[in-house]
Amino acid sequence: MSLLDKIATIVASAGDILLEKMEAGFSICKKGQIDLVTDADHAVERFLISELKQAFPAASFCAEEQGWLEDNESDAVWFIDPLDGTTNFAHGFPYFSISVALAKNGQTVAGVVYNPVSKELFAAERGKGARRNGHPIKVSQNADLQDSLLVTGFPYNIKTSAENNFDQFSRATKASQGVRRTGSAALDLCNVACGRFDGYWEQLVNVWDIAAGALIVEEAGGTVTDYHGSALLHSSKSVIATNGLIHGQLLDVLQG
Ligand code: IPD
Ligand code: CA
Ligand code: CA
């Protein structure tokens, strides 16, 4: 079994845990005023760490709920978001995902994003293309921002921060066919990768939200940078991902 298939098998099993929790019920806590976490987030994260550790012992972990787990001196690290779209999940809105990326020497080499409700599994290995449920995917061919469908997200400190994305949302809405807000950054990226959206941007994201999805977009032929058009790093706090053709136009609109 390939590396990607092994990761995908583990992530798909983690998806079953989310579906079981949705059915059986779960508890909700607040990490901030509007930043929720459920016992499903914790259960899936524990499962992923334990399974990935068994399958690939020589890697560290950076997981949303537990932070950095430095088990060894490896150059490899897993970036894990056990439940991307916790607010959707907590409200019973069936749109969320699991995101797992493997990075080596600072570069993402493999990524898997899984929507357990639709059973869509997006996966990419660097240099080998991107797939949805095993079939190759490509970004859209739309070259005009005015004809584009975009997607974005808003930060949890939206009520207090000046970086609240409101002005950018307004400008991008006027400059395109529309801007959606789905509540799962990882799926937003995958939907750019398979051509449903032409572009996605967000400020104040974390590496576990976007590492897997960014690789999937790149491997589907798209372009991913930070908010200023520079190469995306694991430390980047902003992201723009497009089909490549509208990247400059979207950058210009967002910069104002
Ligand atoms: C959030 C979602 C949301 C995005 C936020 C993320 P979480 O992740 O991806 O779409 O707008 O920036 O933090 O908290 O559900 O894992
Ligand atoms: Ca997330
Ligand atoms: Ca999460």
Side-chain angles (χ1 to χ4, degrees), residues 2-255:
S2 73
L3 167 84
L4 209 51
D5 286 345
K6 278 188 199 170
I7 303 170
T9 303
I10 292 169
V11 172
S13 300
D16 292 340
I17 299 176
L18 285 182
L19 295 181
E20 283 158 22
K21 285 277 183 192
M22 243 197 143
E23 193 68 29
F26 49 85
S27 62
I28 307 173
C29 293
K30 286 187 174 177
K31 293 197 275 187
Q33 198 185 7
I34 58 166
D35 189 0
L36 309 178
V37 62
T38 72
D39 64 336
D41 296 70
H42 291 294
V44 169
E45 187 167 298
R46 281 195 302 269
F47 173 83
L48 287 170
I49 291 173
S50 146
E51 293 293 310
L52 292 169
K53 205 180 266 178
Q54 274 180 40
F56 313 95
S60 305
F61 289 87
C62 173
E64 178 172 10
E65 308 307 336
Q66 296 184 44
W68 276 95
L69 308 176
E70 305 267 9
D71 278 2
N72 50 56
E73 311 244 308
S74 170
D75 291 332
V77 53
W78 294 103
F79 293 113
I80 297 177
D81 191 336
L83 173 46
D84 186 55
T86 297
T87 308
N88 289 347
F89 182 88
H91 286 265
F93 182 61
Y95 196 81
F96 47 81
S97 63
I98 294 166
S99 177
V100 171
L102 177 64
K104 286 188 182 153
N105 300 312
Q107 191 180 52
T108 307
V109 293
V112 171
V113 175
Y114 181 50
N115 176 340
V117 176
S118 67
K119 310 254 180 274
E120 282 191 305
L121 189 136
F122 296 88
E125 201 170 337
R126 186 165 292 280
K128 297 191 177 170
R131 292 173 181 269
R132 179 175 62 87
N133 292 346
H135 302 291
I137 51 173
K138 286 274 166 227
V139 292
S140 67
Q141 289 302 303
N142 193 349
D144 192 339
L145 188 60
Q146 281 293 349
D147 297 330
S148 297
L149 185 62
L150 307 174
V151 64
T152 190
F154 295 87
Y156 284 122
N157 62 0
I158 193 167
K159 300 188 189 204
T160 52
S161 171
E163 285 179 287
N164 52 29
N165 201 26
F166 291 155
D167 289 346
Q168 289 86 350
F169 181 80
S170 168
R171 287 198 297 275
T173 299
K174 289 175 187 163
S176 68
Q177 278 183 356
V179 183
R180 302 290 179 257
R181 197 289 198 249
T182 73
S184 171
L187 288 177
D188 291 341
L189 285 159
C190 292
N191 283 322
V192 172
C194 68
R196 294 169 181 158
F197 293 131
D198 305 295
Y200 156 75
W201 84 92
E202 188 159 351
Q203 283 171 288
L204 294 179
V205 283
N206 290 293
V207 59
W208 50 77
D209 298 312
I210 59 168
L215 178 66
I216 292 167
V217 170
E218 284 178 347
E219 288 297 320
T223 300
V224 185
T225 66
D226 72 7
Y227 210 68
H228 307 286
S230 305
L232 191 79
L233 307 172
H234 289 141
S235 55
S236 297
K237 284 289 165 198
S238 62
V239 60
I240 302 181
T242 71
N243 63 7
L245 302 172
I246 62 156
H247 207 82
Q249 297 166 62
L250 182 57
L251 259 173
D252 287 348
V253 166
L254 295 177
Q255 298 306 332

